[in-house]
Amino acid sequence: MRKLNLEAQSQNSSLCGLCRSFAYRSSAHGVQRIASSQDNARRLMWSVVFLFAIAGCGFHSVYLILTYLSYPRMTITEEIHADHIDFPALTVCNLNPLKKSSIREHLLETHQSVSEFYNPDKYDDDDEIEERGICFRSENEFLKKSKTMDLSDVWMSVIATKDSLMKCGHQAQDLITQCTYNARNCFNDSSTIVLLDQYPSPRYGLCHTIVVDKEPLRKVKKTGLSLGLRLTLNIEREDYLDLVSPEFGARLLVHPKGTYPTLQGGGVVLQPGTKTYVGVRMRKIERLPAPYRGCYDNFQSSQLIHFLRKQDQSQAPFAVIHNVYTYEYCQTLCRDIHLLKNCGCVEEVTPVNNKFCDPCNTTQARCRTRFYRSFTRANVDHDCQKFCLPACTDVRYDLTVSRSEWPNVRHQNYVLKRWPNLRQSLTVFLTNKTLKNGSDELDVDNLRKNFLRVHVYIQEMNYLSVRDIPAYTLPQLFADLGGCLGLYIGVSAITIVEVLEHMASVMAFLYKKRKEYFPKSNSVKKSEIKKRRTNFRLSERSHVQKYSKSKDCKRGNH
């Protein structure tokens, strides 16, 4: 035992011996094999095997780390039963953007001839039209501007200000004739169940958003056709602008409360003379933030806000943005930002109205038309894809639509008998003959041409949950790296501790030898320093010779 301790001390007295001692007692099999091999051929073989194992382990480890840094994800889809589901907001729009009668009143108020708008040959010069203040062009000019055979691009020539839409659009009291929620009147004198918010859009006219105001009523706990929101809408067919309204009806969009109604991205078209049943099923999407696919919780964290802050004061209309972030609304804002940058005006609703496109400005009108025709082909679309990411938590609604013929005339007569005040909104559809005779019968043809019913209800209490989760986590990376090290070079956590311990011993040894080689004391003479250096070299040589003799002896014995 004493002899073994002396040998260990002699080995640890030099750097070579220290490394050799570590190789003998290491749990890494390859290092131990190389150190214990007596034959040079075997030592060379194990060295080559160990180097190849190190290379394979390094390549595999780099692959695992790069896989983790790519942040893969997987999507889990499951159906979840909810205790309650919030009733969504509804936005309804007439398919006719502007009322013909309101336009005539507007022209009369500005001392213009009512026939000027419909006279195809009255004005041919744009400057003359602008000087007279005619913001609505003639039919002939509309037709000349159209580039499609079905006149589907005519709406681009109809430019209206926000004030014009508010004044000439279909008002809520004219569009919404009846409203009930869970078999209760929406607008009572004592309490109001729903709130109405106006949303003017040059493309879709004056739209109206309906939101259930009472939170207990908004939380739906039971489903079925007996509950939900029922609306009777009057499209006012006689007030349609035939040139820009190719069809009759209304548009309905179902969206979460507090979100911007992006009508260009969807919606259900409602047909006059029918009752439309809209079954709503909620779908909740949860996405992972950066560094995964990336998403935004609100507008303040989006790149669109940072882009606006770098712009000049002309971007002030976009300083205040809707609280609820949606990808579609971000795309709309991004498009309007570039429209403002190129043409000096915006199209959609903004908190400040001073930059809204002016219908009397022919320069803005032409620029706006060119912008929309080149929008998808330009870099603007790519900028919007970069500025706008999906919402981290996104609620969508899948709709099931069915229709039936409406109305049942006898049932409608009972409705009028029970609620005589409803007759005021339906008077125009009572024939003169029946009015004189005092009859309650309706003109069914006119009623079915102008009115429609829609019933929106929650279809079921189960909702579809779509969640993104990390496909490769940090604990999985560590587990795979541990398996990789064990597979190739037989290294475990204990081996890593051994290596760290050996590195500490080497550092201590080098520090000790440095102190002996370069003493700090100034009192030591140069001859003494030279003597110590000579003794250090002689001791290193003696250890090497002693080790070589012991190996020769062992080989001779074998």
Side-chain angles (χ1 to χ4, degrees):
M1 180 66 68
R2 184 178 180 182
K3 184 177 180 181
L4 292 175
N5 291 335
L6 290 175
E7 290 180 357
Q9 290 177 4
S10 64
Q11 289 181 357
N12 293 334
S13 61
S14 65
L15 182 62
C16 182
L18 192 66
C19 294
R20 192 179 302 113
S21 175
F22 168 75
Y24 275 118
R25 58 186 174 83
S26 174
S27 58
H29 308 299
V31 177
Q32 196 178 62
R33 291 284 185 180
I34 294 172
S36 61
S37 296
Q38 305 297 329
D39 190 3
N40 290 333
R42 290 175 61 87
R43 184 180 294 111
L44 178 62
M45 181 198 72
W46 280 111
S47 299
V48 172
V49 171
F50 184 72
L51 290 177
F52 272 102
I54 288 289
C57 179
F59 176 79
H60 200 164
S61 299
V62 169
Y63 171 77
L64 293 175
I65 293 173
L66 291 178
T67 301
Y68 173 76
L69 293 179
S70 66
Y71 299 104
R73 65 187 186 279
M74 61 181 180
T75 302
I76 296 179
T77 303
E78 59 181 339
E79 194 172 33
I80 298 178
H81 178 77
D83 295 332
H84 65 271
I85 294 178
D86 287 346
F87 194 83
L90 308 179
T91 298
V92 291
C93 309
N94 202 319
L95 293 183
N96 178 54
L98 297 169
K99 295 176 64 173
K100 187 189 303 183
S101 60
S102 299
I103 292 176
R104 288 172 176 167
E105 292 176 3
H106 174 72
L107 294 175
L108 289 174
E109 288 178 1
T110 55
H111 305 287
Q112 301 172 36
S113 174
V114 179
S115 61
E116 287 176 351
F117 177 72
Y118 301 98
N119 190 349
D121 301 319
K122 181 67 177 177
Y123 298 107
D124 294 327
D125 189 3
D126 288 340
D127 295 333
E128 184 181 357
I129 292 174
E130 187 172 357
E131 287 175 2
R132 290 188 56 83
I134 303 175
C135 301
F136 303 97
R137 308 300 181 179
S138 65
E139 292 182 358
N140 189 35
E141 187 176 353
F142 278 142
L143 296 175
K144 287 181 180 179
K145 288 185 177 181
S146 177
K147 303 296 182 182
T148 58
M149 296 181 64
D150 57 355
L151 303 181
S152 58
D153 60 345
V154 168
W155 68 270
M156 297 178 65
S157 300
V158 181
I159 313 171
T161 62
K162 183 177 179 180
D163 295 335
S164 299
L165 290 169
M166 298 289 287
K167 186 174 183 179
C168 301
H170 293 265
Q171 303 299 319
Q173 60 271 19
D174 298 328
L175 180 64
I176 303 174
T177 306
Q178 277 181 309
C179 175
T180 58
Y181 179 73
N182 292 347
R184 299 170 60 184
N185 290 328
C186 296
F187 309 105
N188 286 332
D189 295 335
S190 58
S191 63
T192 302
I193 297 177
V194 301
L195 296 177
L196 292 177
D197 189 17
Q198 292 180 332
Y199 159 58
S201 170
R203 177 66 181 91
Y204 299 99
L206 185 60
C207 302
H208 306 278
T209 300
I210 305 172
V211 180
V212 179
D213 184 30
K214 308 293 183 180
E215 186 174 355
L217 294 176
R218 191 168 60 248
K219 296 186 179 299
V220 178
K221 299 181 180 180
K222 293 175 61 179
T223 62
L225 286 170
S226 60
L227 302 175
L229 186 69
R230 296 175 174 87
L231 298 173
T232 302
L233 304 180
N234 180 11
I235 66 170
E236 300 178 297
R237 181 189 291 254
E238 298 300 325
D239 264 337
Y240 267 51
L241 288 174
D242 297 329
L243 183 61
V244 297
S245 301
E247 53 193 354
F248 298 100
R251 183 182 297 273
L252 172 71
L253 180 68
V254 181
H255 56 96
K257 177 182 177 293
T259 58
Y260 181 86
T262 52
L263 295 163
Q264 66 273 16
V268 178
V269 176
L270 308 176
Q271 180 182 351
T274 62
K275 181 175 181 179
T276 305
Y277 294 87
V278 181
V280 178
R281 188 185 185 194
M282 190 178 79
R283 177 160 44 101
K284 187 176 182 180
I285 304 173
E286 298 179 39
R287 301 180 178 90
L288 292 173
Y292 292 90
R293 176 167 55 180
C295 60
Y296 293 140
D297 286 319
N298 49 54
F299 277 104
Q300 301 304 322
S301 60
S302 66
Q303 293 188 20
L304 185 65
I305 294 296
H306 299 292
F307 173 74
L308 288 177
R309 289 172 181 170
K310 294 179 181 179
Q311 304 300 312
D312 54 12
Q313 296 299 322
S314 63
Q315 307 293 339
F318 301 98
V320 182
I321 297 182
H322 209 283
N323 293 330
V324 180
Y325 176 88
T326 60
Y327 174 76
E328 293 80 7
Y329 187 30
C330 183
Q331 288 280 332
T332 301
L333 287 175
C334 182
R335 181 198 64 199
D336 271 9
I337 289 168
H338 287 87
L339 179 61
L340 177 63
K341 185 177 180 180
N342 287 273
C343 303
C345 67
V346 297
E347 182 193 51
E348 294 295 333
V349 179
T350 55
V352 182
N353 194 30
N354 58 350
K355 294 294 181 181
F356 211 78
C357 289
D358 184 5
C360 297
N361 192 328
T362 55
T363 303
Q364 287 184 357
R366 291 167 182 167
C367 178
R368 176 176 171 269
T369 302
R370 289 194 301 268
F371 174 81
Y372 277 111
R373 285 174 179 167
S374 62
F375 177 74
T376 56
R377 299 191 299 270
N379 294 328
V380 176
D381 194 21
H382 301 291
D383 290 341
C384 293
Q385 295 292 335
K386 180 179 66 175
F387 293 151
C388 299
L389 294 178
C392 294
T393 302
D394 197 359
V395 176
R396 299 179 181 271
Y397 296 101
D398 299 324
L399 307 181
T400 302
V401 180
S402 58
R403 288 185 174 89
S404 64
E405 185 181 354
W406 180 87
N408 181 342
V409 181
R410 294 182 178 179
H411 179 271
Q412 195 65 29
N413 285 330
Y414 282 121
V415 172
L416 293 176
K417 185 177 181 179
R418 175 65 180 86
W419 301 100
N421 56 350
L422 182 61
R423 189 184 309 276
Q424 297 177 2
S425 59
L426 299 177
T427 301
V428 68
F429 302 104
L430 295 172
T431 63
N432 294 330
K433 183 178 179 181
T434 54
L435 281 174
K436 291 179 180 179
N437 297 333
S439 174
D440 289 338
E441 294 182 359
L442 297 173
D443 188 344
V444 180
D445 292 337
N446 283 333
L447 185 66
R448 288 177 176 170
K449 287 180 179 180
N450 290 274
F451 284 83
L452 58 90
R453 286 276 287 178
V454 59
H455 181 190
V456 183
Y457 62 96
I458 301 297
Q459 190 171 354
E460 56 185 33
M461 293 302 297
N462 297 333
Y463 70 91
L464 192 66
S465 174
V466 182
R467 294 184 295 115
D468 285 345
I469 62 172
Y472 197 56
T473 60
L474 192 61
Q476 289 176 319
L477 174 63
F478 286 159
D480 290 343
L481 287 176
C484 179
L485 293 173
L487 174 65
Y488 288 98
I489 54 179
V491 172
S492 63
I494 295 177
T495 309
I496 296 175
V497 175
E498 291 176 354
V499 172
L500 295 176
E501 181 188 16
H502 174 63
M503 292 176 63
S505 301
V506 170
M507 296 298 293
F509 176 81
L510 294 176
Y511 179 73
K512 180 179 178 181
K513 292 300 181 182
R514 183 180 180 279
K515 288 183 65 177
E516 294 178 358
Y517 196 73
F518 298 103
K520 293 182 180 181
S521 175
N522 296 328
S523 62
V524 180
K525 297 181 179 180
K526 292 184 179 180
S527 59
E528 184 68 22
I529 295 174
K530 186 175 181 181
K531 183 178 180 180
R532 289 183 182 182
R533 291 177 180 175
T534 304
N535 293 335
F536 177 75
R537 293 192 187 98
L538 291 175
S539 64
E540 287 287 335
R541 291 176 184 175
S542 64
H543 283 300
V544 172
Q545 292 175 359
K546 187 184 297 184
Y547 177 71
S548 61
K549 289 179 180 180
S550 64
K551 288 183 66 177
D552 293 339
C553 292
K554 290 180 181 178
R555 289 175 183 174
N557 293 333
H558 286 297

